[in-house]
Amino acid sequence: MAHIHFIGAGQMAEAIIRAAQSNAALHNTPFSIEDIDAERVTALTQRYQLPLVAPDTALAQADVVVIAVRPQDDIPGVAQRINQLAAAHSTVISIVAGVTLQQLSTLLGETRAIARVIPNTLTDTGYGYSGVTLNAHAQAEQLEGFLSAFGKV
C-alpha cells in the first residue's frame, strides 16, 4: 500500500494508526488524516509523526481511503468528496457503524472497491478482532496488510 488517508481523526482512527505504528506492520506506508477539528489533526500529526498534507491532495493520492466519521455526520457529503477527488483505483474502507455496504455502494458508485470494517475496542493494542465485508470489486489480498495491522480479521 502506498498511502492510507483517514477522513475523520477520532478515537478509532487514532487506535488504528497507533496499532499499525507500534507493531511496524505498515512501517513504509504513509498515513494522512483530515477532520473538521483542525486541532485534532495537528495533535495526531505531531503525536504520530504524520505528514501534514492538504486534505484534497492527500485524498487524491490515497490508495486506501478510510471513512472514520460518526454515523450522524454527513456521510453523503464525505462520499461526494471521495467521488470528486479520490483516484478510481483507491479502495474505500468504512468503519462507520450502521452504514451498510449497499448504502456505501449507492453513495460511492457500484464500481468502487469498498470494504466495511467493524473493529473492536482492542484495536489499539493490535489484539483486536474486526469483522470485514467486501464488495465484488475489493480484493482481500490488497487489504490484508492494513487490516492485520490492528488485529485479527
Side-chain angles (χ1 to χ4, degrees), residues 48-120:
Y48 300 103
Q49 300 175 354
L50 304 175
L52 188 56
V53 183
D56 289 356
T57 301
L59 183 54
Q61 294 172 348
D63 296 299
V64 173
V65 176
V66 181
I67 303 175
V69 298
R70 299 172 303 177
Q72 65 268 28
D73 289 343
D74 183 15
I75 306 297
V78 170
Q80 183 177 16
R81 277 195 68 240
I82 292 168
N83 289 335
Q84 290 174 343
L85 298 170
H89 76 272
S90 64
T91 299
V92 175
I93 297 175
S94 171
I95 64 169
V96 182
V99 179
T100 68
L101 195 59
Q102 182 56 49
Q103 289 170 313
L104 292 166
S105 291
T106 299
L107 292 168
L108 295 166
E110 297 296 326
T111 60
R112 170 78 67 185
I114 304 170
R116 183 165 180 243
V117 179
I118 304 299
N120 72 5

Side-chain angles (χ1 to χ4, degrees), residues 15 23 29 94 102 141:
N23 71 21
T29 303
S94 171
Q102 182 56 49
E141 308 81 45

